[in-house]
Amino acid sequence: MSSQSEKPPGDNLPIKQDNIEATSCQTMDGTTHLNNPGPSGSRRRSNPYCFPENVLCQDVTYNGVAVTQFTAAMDSIAQLKIIRSLLMRSDDVIIAAFPKCGTHWVSEMLNMLLSGTTDYVTRPKEFEMLELIEDATALDQLDSPRVLNSHLYIAHLPEQLVEKKVKLVHLIRHPKDCAVSLYHHWKQRASEKFTFDNFIKGYITEGYTDRSHQLDYLRQMAQFEDANPDHPIMHIHYEDLKRDPVSMLEALSQFVGIQTSRKFCEEVTSACSFDKMKQADKTRELPQHLNKVFSKGLKIYRKGVVGDWKNMFTVAQSEMFDQFLARQEEKGLPNNFRWQ
Ligand code: A3P
Protein backbone atom coordinates (compact mmCIF):
# COMPACT_ATOMS: atom_id res chain seq x y z
CA MET A 1 0.00 0.00 0.00
CA SER A 2 2.83 2.37 0.66
CA SER A 3 4.63 2.32 -2.68
CA GLN A 4 4.96 5.69 -4.35
CA SER A 5 5.44 4.13 -7.76
CA GLU A 6 3.45 6.79 -9.50
CA LYS A 7 4.45 9.72 -7.42
CA PRO A 8 4.42 12.58 -9.89
CA PRO A 9 7.65 14.41 -10.50
CA GLY A 10 7.99 18.11 -9.82
CA ASP A 11 5.30 20.48 -8.78
CA ASN A 12 1.78 20.91 -10.06
CA LEU A 13 2.12 23.25 -12.98
CA PRO A 14 -1.05 24.26 -14.80
CA ILE A 15 -1.79 22.03 -17.79
CA LYS A 16 -3.88 24.45 -19.74
CA GLN A 17 -6.05 27.48 -19.25
CA ASP A 18 -9.69 26.65 -18.61
CA ASN A 19 -12.48 29.01 -19.51
CA ILE A 20 -13.61 31.51 -16.93
CA GLU A 21 -16.64 33.53 -17.72
CA ALA A 22 -18.98 35.87 -15.94
CA THR A 23 -22.68 35.09 -15.99
CA SER A 24 -25.61 36.64 -14.22
CA CYS A 25 -27.90 34.95 -11.73
CA GLN A 26 -31.64 35.38 -12.06
CA THR A 27 -33.55 36.20 -8.91
CA MET A 28 -37.00 35.01 -7.84
CA ASP A 29 -38.75 37.80 -9.71
CA GLY A 30 -36.74 37.10 -12.82
CA THR A 31 -34.64 40.24 -12.58
CA THR A 32 -30.87 40.21 -12.48
CA HIS A 33 -29.09 41.56 -9.44
CA LEU A 34 -25.53 42.55 -9.90
CA ASN A 35 -24.89 43.96 -6.46
CA ASN A 36 -22.82 42.33 -3.73
CA PRO A 37 -19.44 41.79 -5.31
CA GLY A 38 -18.14 38.37 -4.33
CA PRO A 39 -14.71 36.76 -4.35
CA SER A 40 -12.59 36.87 -7.49
CA GLY A 41 -14.37 40.10 -8.41
CA SER A 42 -17.57 38.14 -8.96
CA ARG A 43 -21.03 39.31 -7.98
CA ARG A 44 -23.61 37.51 -5.91
CA ARG A 45 -27.37 37.46 -6.08
CA SER A 46 -29.66 38.95 -3.45
CA ASN A 47 -30.57 36.66 -0.60
CA PRO A 48 -34.26 36.73 0.37
CA TYR A 49 -34.00 33.28 1.97
CA CYS A 50 -31.18 34.28 4.30
CA PHE A 51 -28.68 31.60 3.26
CA PRO A 52 -25.11 31.89 4.54
CA GLU A 53 -23.43 34.33 2.16
CA ASN A 54 -20.69 31.99 1.06
CA VAL A 55 -23.05 29.37 -0.39
CA LEU A 56 -24.89 31.78 -2.68
CA CYS A 57 -24.64 31.53 -6.42
CA GLN A 58 -21.86 33.63 -7.85
CA ASP A 59 -21.99 35.09 -11.30
CA VAL A 60 -18.94 33.19 -12.47
CA THR A 61 -18.55 29.89 -14.25
CA TYR A 62 -15.32 28.01 -14.71
CA ASN A 63 -14.97 25.45 -17.47
CA GLY A 64 -18.64 26.09 -18.23
CA VAL A 65 -19.91 25.23 -14.76
CA ALA A 66 -20.97 27.40 -11.83
CA VAL A 67 -18.19 28.13 -9.36
CA THR A 68 -18.56 27.30 -5.69
CA GLN A 69 -16.94 29.54 -3.17
CA PHE A 70 -15.51 26.85 -0.85
CA THR A 71 -14.42 28.92 2.12
CA ALA A 72 -14.13 32.60 2.78
CA ALA A 73 -10.37 32.12 3.10
CA MET A 74 -9.86 31.03 -0.50
CA ASP A 75 -10.04 32.55 -3.92
CA SER A 76 -12.27 30.05 -5.74
CA ILE A 77 -10.93 30.61 -9.23
CA ALA A 78 -7.32 30.42 -8.13
CA GLN A 79 -8.12 27.26 -6.21
CA LEU A 80 -9.93 25.71 -9.17
CA LYS A 81 -6.95 26.35 -11.43
CA ILE A 82 -4.73 24.50 -8.99
CA ILE A 83 -7.18 21.62 -8.68
CA ARG A 84 -7.69 21.26 -12.42
CA SER A 85 -3.95 21.05 -12.97
CA LEU A 86 -3.20 18.57 -10.18
CA LEU A 87 -1.15 15.63 -11.35
CA MET A 88 -3.05 12.40 -10.93
CA ARG A 89 -1.76 8.88 -10.39
CA SER A 90 -3.59 6.06 -12.11
CA ASP A 91 -4.13 4.28 -8.78
CA ASP A 92 -5.73 7.33 -7.17
CA VAL A 93 -9.30 6.98 -5.99
CA ILE A 94 -11.53 10.04 -5.77
CA ILE A 95 -14.67 9.93 -3.69
CA ALA A 96 -16.92 12.29 -5.62
CA ALA A 97 -20.22 13.34 -4.13
CA PHE A 98 -22.63 16.12 -3.56
CA PRO A 99 -22.20 17.26 0.06
CA LYS A 100 -23.78 15.16 2.82
CA CYS A 101 -23.95 11.86 0.95
CA GLY A 102 -21.51 10.10 3.31
CA THR A 103 -18.06 11.20 2.10
CA HIS A 104 -16.47 10.99 5.55
CA TRP A 105 -17.88 7.54 6.17
CA VAL A 106 -16.80 6.03 2.84
CA SER A 107 -13.41 7.71 2.99
CA GLU A 108 -12.67 6.17 6.39
CA MET A 109 -13.79 2.71 5.28
CA LEU A 110 -11.88 2.86 2.01
CA ASN A 111 -8.70 3.90 3.79
CA MET A 112 -9.09 0.93 6.12
CA LEU A 113 -9.67 -1.47 3.24
CA LEU A 114 -6.58 -0.19 1.44
CA SER A 115 -4.36 -0.21 4.52
CA GLY A 116 -5.58 -3.62 5.65
CA THR A 117 -6.03 -2.28 9.20
CA THR A 118 -8.86 -0.81 11.23
CA ASP A 119 -6.73 2.17 12.26
CA TYR A 120 -8.49 5.49 11.88
CA VAL A 121 -6.88 8.02 9.60
CA THR A 122 -5.32 10.58 11.89
CA ARG A 123 -5.87 13.50 9.50
CA PRO A 124 -9.35 14.99 9.05
CA LYS A 125 -10.99 14.20 5.70
CA GLU A 126 -10.83 17.87 4.84
CA PHE A 127 -7.08 17.41 4.33
CA GLU A 128 -7.75 15.31 1.23
CA MET A 129 -10.77 17.32 0.09
CA LEU A 130 -9.51 18.90 -3.11
CA GLU A 131 -11.40 22.17 -2.77
CA LEU A 132 -10.00 22.76 0.71
CA ILE A 133 -6.34 21.95 0.22
CA GLU A 134 -4.07 24.78 1.14
CA ASP A 135 -0.88 23.39 -0.32
CA ALA A 136 -1.24 21.14 -3.38
CA THR A 137 2.26 19.76 -2.91
CA ALA A 138 1.10 18.16 0.36
CA LEU A 139 -0.90 15.72 -1.77
CA ASP A 140 2.34 14.68 -3.50
CA GLN A 141 3.63 13.44 -0.16
CA LEU A 142 0.78 10.98 0.31
CA ASP A 143 1.48 7.29 -0.27
CA SER A 144 -0.26 5.48 -3.11
CA PRO A 145 -3.00 4.65 -3.54
CA ARG A 146 -4.34 8.03 -2.45
CA VAL A 147 -7.94 8.37 -1.35
CA LEU A 148 -8.95 11.90 -2.31
CA ASN A 149 -12.40 13.38 -2.04
CA SER A 150 -14.34 16.28 -3.43
CA HIS A 151 -17.78 17.85 -3.63
CA LEU A 152 -16.82 19.73 -6.77
CA TYR A 153 -18.67 19.30 -10.00
CA ILE A 154 -16.87 16.84 -12.23
CA ALA A 155 -15.92 19.64 -14.65
CA HIS A 156 -13.83 21.14 -11.84
CA LEU A 157 -11.98 17.98 -10.84
CA PRO A 158 -8.39 17.42 -12.01
CA GLU A 159 -8.21 17.36 -15.76
CA GLN A 160 -5.88 14.35 -15.74
CA LEU A 161 -8.43 12.10 -14.10
CA VAL A 162 -9.83 11.14 -17.51
CA GLU A 163 -6.59 10.09 -19.19
CA LYS A 164 -5.35 8.38 -16.02
CA LYS A 165 -8.71 6.65 -15.62
CA VAL A 166 -8.76 7.60 -11.97
CA LYS A 167 -11.37 5.54 -10.15
CA LEU A 168 -14.38 7.52 -9.03
CA VAL A 169 -16.47 6.38 -6.10
CA HIS A 170 -19.66 8.35 -6.57
CA LEU A 171 -21.97 8.66 -3.57
CA ILE A 172 -25.71 9.15 -3.84
CA ARG A 173 -28.21 9.79 -1.07
CA HIS A 174 -31.92 10.26 -1.11
CA PRO A 175 -32.49 13.95 -1.97
CA LYS A 176 -34.77 14.66 0.99
CA ASP A 177 -32.35 13.24 3.56
CA CYS A 178 -29.49 14.90 1.76
CA ALA A 179 -31.32 18.23 1.90
CA VAL A 180 -32.00 17.88 5.63
CA SER A 181 -28.37 17.08 6.31
CA LEU A 182 -27.21 20.00 4.16
CA TYR A 183 -29.58 22.37 5.95
CA HIS A 184 -28.09 21.44 9.32
CA HIS A 185 -24.61 21.71 7.88
CA TRP A 186 -25.17 25.24 6.57
CA LYS A 187 -27.17 26.22 9.64
CA GLN A 188 -23.93 25.97 11.62
CA ARG A 189 -22.86 29.24 10.05
CA ALA A 190 -26.19 30.95 9.32
CA SER A 191 -28.46 33.38 11.12
CA GLU A 192 -31.72 32.54 12.89
CA LYS A 193 -33.57 33.65 9.76
CA PHE A 194 -32.24 30.66 7.88
CA THR A 195 -35.25 28.45 8.62
CA PHE A 196 -35.82 25.06 7.04
CA ASP A 197 -38.67 26.57 5.05
CA ASN A 198 -36.34 29.22 3.68
CA PHE A 199 -33.76 26.56 2.94
CA ILE A 200 -36.14 24.40 0.91
CA LYS A 201 -37.39 27.35 -1.13
CA GLY A 202 -33.91 28.56 -1.98
CA TYR A 203 -32.48 25.09 -2.51
CA ILE A 204 -35.01 24.09 -5.17
CA THR A 205 -34.60 27.38 -7.02
CA GLU A 206 -32.21 26.88 -9.91
CA GLY A 207 -29.04 28.86 -9.42
CA TYR A 208 -29.87 30.17 -5.97
CA THR A 209 -26.95 28.49 -4.28
CA ASP A 210 -23.53 28.08 -5.77
CA ARG A 211 -24.10 24.35 -6.34
CA SER A 212 -27.68 24.83 -7.38
CA HIS A 213 -28.77 21.48 -5.89
CA GLN A 214 -27.98 17.78 -5.68
CA LEU A 215 -29.90 16.95 -8.85
CA ASP A 216 -27.71 19.29 -10.83
CA TYR A 217 -24.66 17.46 -9.50
CA LEU A 218 -26.16 14.08 -10.41
CA ARG A 219 -27.02 15.32 -13.90
CA GLN A 220 -23.46 16.44 -14.52
CA MET A 221 -22.13 13.12 -13.25
CA ALA A 222 -24.51 11.25 -15.59
CA GLN A 223 -23.35 13.40 -18.51
CA PHE A 224 -19.73 12.65 -17.67
CA GLU A 225 -20.50 8.95 -17.59
CA ASP A 226 -22.25 9.12 -20.96
CA ALA A 227 -19.28 10.95 -22.45
CA ASN A 228 -16.76 8.57 -20.86
CA PRO A 229 -18.40 5.13 -20.90
CA ASP A 230 -15.12 3.35 -20.12
CA HIS A 231 -14.33 5.45 -17.08
CA PRO A 232 -14.27 3.41 -13.85
CA ILE A 233 -17.10 4.72 -11.68
CA MET A 234 -18.74 2.95 -8.79
CA HIS A 235 -22.02 4.39 -7.56
CA ILE A 236 -22.78 3.84 -3.89
CA HIS A 237 -26.10 4.72 -2.33
CA TYR A 238 -25.94 5.81 1.30
CA GLU A 239 -29.07 3.74 1.97
CA ASP A 240 -27.41 0.57 0.60
CA LEU A 241 -24.43 1.19 2.85
CA LYS A 242 -26.72 1.47 5.84
CA ARG A 243 -28.65 -1.65 4.86
CA ASP A 244 -25.78 -3.96 3.97
CA PRO A 245 -22.39 -2.33 4.60
CA VAL A 246 -20.41 -5.57 4.47
CA SER A 247 -21.55 -6.49 0.95
CA MET A 248 -20.96 -2.92 -0.19
CA LEU A 249 -17.41 -3.04 1.18
CA GLU A 250 -16.77 -6.31 -0.64
CA ALA A 251 -17.90 -4.68 -3.87
CA LEU A 252 -15.82 -1.58 -3.13
CA SER A 253 -12.71 -3.72 -2.52
CA GLN A 254 -13.22 -5.39 -5.85
CA PHE A 255 -13.65 -2.04 -7.55
CA VAL A 256 -10.37 -0.66 -6.21
CA GLY A 257 -8.62 -3.93 -7.01
CA ILE A 258 -7.81 -5.38 -3.62
CA GLN A 259 -8.53 -8.79 -2.19
CA THR A 260 -10.12 -8.83 1.20
CA SER A 261 -12.16 -11.21 3.31
CA ARG A 262 -15.75 -10.87 4.41
CA LYS A 263 -14.51 -11.04 8.00
CA PHE A 264 -12.29 -8.00 7.49
CA CYS A 265 -15.17 -6.12 5.84
CA GLU A 266 -17.19 -6.87 8.97
CA GLU A 267 -14.39 -5.48 11.14
CA VAL A 268 -14.21 -2.32 9.04
CA THR A 269 -17.97 -1.94 9.23
CA SER A 270 -17.85 -2.18 12.99
CA ALA A 271 -14.92 0.23 13.33
CA CYS A 272 -16.78 2.71 11.13
CA SER A 273 -20.09 2.66 12.93
CA PHE A 274 -21.55 6.12 13.35
CA ASP A 275 -20.76 6.25 17.10
CA LYS A 276 -17.17 5.06 16.72
CA MET A 277 -16.43 7.45 13.90
CA LYS A 278 -17.93 10.33 15.83
CA GLN A 279 -15.70 9.45 18.74
CA ALA A 280 -12.59 9.04 16.57
CA ASP A 281 -13.22 12.41 14.99
CA LYS A 282 -12.90 14.21 18.33
CA THR A 283 -9.13 13.80 18.32
CA ARG A 284 -8.66 15.22 14.82
CA GLU A 285 -7.82 18.82 14.32
CA LEU A 286 -8.76 20.75 11.22
CA PRO A 287 -5.89 22.29 9.27
CA GLN A 288 -5.21 25.75 10.66
CA HIS A 289 -6.50 27.69 7.66
CA LEU A 290 -9.87 25.92 8.05
CA ASN A 291 -10.05 26.49 11.78
CA LYS A 292 -10.57 30.16 11.09
CA VAL A 293 -13.29 29.42 8.54
CA PHE A 294 -15.19 26.93 10.67
CA SER A 295 -14.73 29.00 13.80
CA LYS A 296 -17.99 27.65 15.23
CA GLY A 297 -16.76 24.11 14.66
CA LEU A 298 -17.58 21.66 11.91
CA LYS A 299 -20.08 19.04 12.99
CA ILE A 300 -20.27 16.21 10.46
CA TYR A 301 -21.63 13.41 12.63
CA ARG A 302 -25.20 14.51 13.24
CA LYS A 303 -27.60 11.51 13.13
CA GLY A 304 -26.41 9.16 10.41
CA VAL A 305 -29.80 7.62 9.67
CA VAL A 306 -32.06 7.01 6.69
CA GLY A 307 -35.41 8.78 6.58
CA ASP A 308 -34.75 11.71 8.91
CA TRP A 309 -36.54 13.90 6.35
CA LYS A 310 -39.82 12.68 7.81
CA ASN A 311 -38.97 14.54 11.03
CA MET A 312 -38.24 17.79 9.19
CA PHE A 313 -40.50 18.24 6.18
CA THR A 314 -44.05 19.45 6.59
CA VAL A 315 -46.59 17.96 4.18
CA ALA A 316 -46.52 21.17 2.14
CA GLN A 317 -42.72 21.21 1.99
CA SER A 318 -42.66 17.56 1.01
CA GLU A 319 -45.13 18.17 -1.82
CA MET A 320 -43.12 21.15 -3.02
CA PHE A 321 -40.00 19.00 -3.01
CA ASP A 322 -41.75 16.16 -4.84
CA GLN A 323 -42.76 18.59 -7.56
CA PHE A 324 -39.17 19.74 -7.79
CA LEU A 325 -38.01 16.13 -8.16
CA ALA A 326 -40.65 15.50 -10.83
CA ARG A 327 -39.42 18.56 -12.75
CA GLN A 328 -35.89 17.19 -12.59
CA GLU A 329 -37.04 13.83 -13.85
CA GLU A 330 -38.77 15.53 -16.78
CA LYS A 331 -35.39 17.01 -17.64
CA GLY A 332 -34.13 13.47 -18.11
CA LEU A 333 -32.53 12.62 -14.80
CA PRO A 334 -33.20 8.97 -13.95
CA ASN A 335 -34.73 8.65 -10.50
CA ASN A 336 -33.12 5.59 -9.00
CA PHE A 337 -32.98 6.86 -5.44
CA ARG A 338 -33.39 4.49 -2.55
CA TRP A 339 -36.28 5.44 -0.32
CA GLN A 340 -35.45 3.08 2.56
P1 A3P B 1 -26.67 13.41 8.73
O1 A3P B 1 -26.48 14.90 8.73
O2 A3P B 1 -27.96 13.00 8.12
O3 A3P B 1 -26.48 12.82 10.07
P2 A3P B 1 -20.57 13.96 4.37
O4 A3P B 1 -19.49 13.18 4.99
O5 A3P B 1 -20.67 13.74 2.89
O6 A3P B 1 -20.52 15.41 4.77
O7 A3P B 1 -21.95 13.37 4.93
C1 A3P B 1 -22.34 13.60 6.25
C2 A3P B 1 -23.53 12.72 6.56
O8 A3P B 1 -23.07 11.34 6.66
C3 A3P B 1 -24.15 13.08 7.90
O9 A3P B 1 -25.54 12.78 7.78
C4 A3P B 1 -23.42 12.13 8.82
O10 A3P B 1 -24.05 11.91 10.06
C5 A3P B 1 -23.41 10.88 7.95
N1 A3P B 1 -22.40 9.91 8.44
C6 A3P B 1 -21.10 10.14 8.72
N2 A3P B 1 -20.52 9.03 9.19
C7 A3P B 1 -21.46 8.07 9.22
C8 A3P B 1 -21.47 6.70 9.62
N3 A3P B 1 -20.40 6.12 10.12
N4 A3P B 1 -22.63 6.02 9.49
C9 A3P B 1 -23.74 6.60 9.00
N5 A3P B 1 -23.79 7.90 8.61
C10 A3P B 1 -22.67 8.62 8.71
Side-chain angles (χ1 to χ4, degrees), residues 183-252:
Y183 168 68
H184 286 100
H185 186 73
W186 283 345
K187 183 77 182 153
Q188 294 176 51
R189 52 193 145 108
S191 77
E192 286 303 306
K193 292 180 187 160
F194 184 54
T195 59
F196 187 62
D197 202 56
N198 270 342
F199 167 79
I200 290 295
K201 286 177 181 151
Y203 181 69
I204 66 175
T205 302
E206 299 291 332
Y208 190 83
T209 73
D210 57 358
R211 298 171 193 277
S212 224
H213 44 66
Q214 184 192 8
L215 285 295
D216 215 21
Y217 183 95
L218 294 174
R219 186 175 300 112
Q220 293 191 29
M221 185 59 86
Q223 286 165 354
F224 174 82
E225 218 174 346
D226 284 349
N228 301 276
D230 297 334
H231 200 93
I233 306 180
M234 178 176 179
H235 304 277
I236 297 183
H237 289 259
Y238 179 92
E239 296 75 15
D240 289 346
L241 262 183
K242 287 289 292 186
R243 187 177 42 79
D244 187 358
V246 177
S247 300
M248 292 308 296
L249 289 190
E250 285 181 318
L252 183 58

Side-chain angles (χ1 to χ4, degrees), residues 98-105 151 173 181 238 242 272-274 277 300-305:
F98 188 78
K100 315 320 289 176
C101 292
T103 305
H104 288 70
W105 188 16
H151 297 319
R173 189 177 188 183
S181 185
Y238 179 92
K242 287 289 292 186
C272 293
S273 70
F274 178 82
M277 277 191 60
I300 296 291
Y301 303 91
R302 191 182 63 90
K303 283 192 176 177
V305 296

Side-chain angles (χ1 to χ4, degrees), residues 102-137:
T103 305
H104 288 70
W105 188 16
V106 173
S107 179
E108 190 77 65
M109 292 194 288
L110 186 51
N111 273 295
M112 287 186 181
L113 290 175
L114 289 168
S115 70
T117 74
T118 50
D119 297 339
Y120 299 103
V121 177
T122 49
R123 299 178 301 271
K125 299 297 160 295
E126 286 67 24
F127 184 86
E128 281 107 16
M129 188 171 278
L130 297 180
E131 51 270 46
L132 297 183
I133 51 172
E134 188 182 35
D135 172 13
T137 58

Side-chain angles (χ1 to χ4, degrees), residues 3 9 57 68 83 131 167 206 225 233 264 324-325 327:
S3 89
C57 178
T68 57
I83 295 165
E131 51 270 46
K167 293 188 180 72
E206 299 291 332
E225 218 174 346
I233 306 180
F264 183 61
F324 157 70
L325 289 179
R327 284 197 299 277

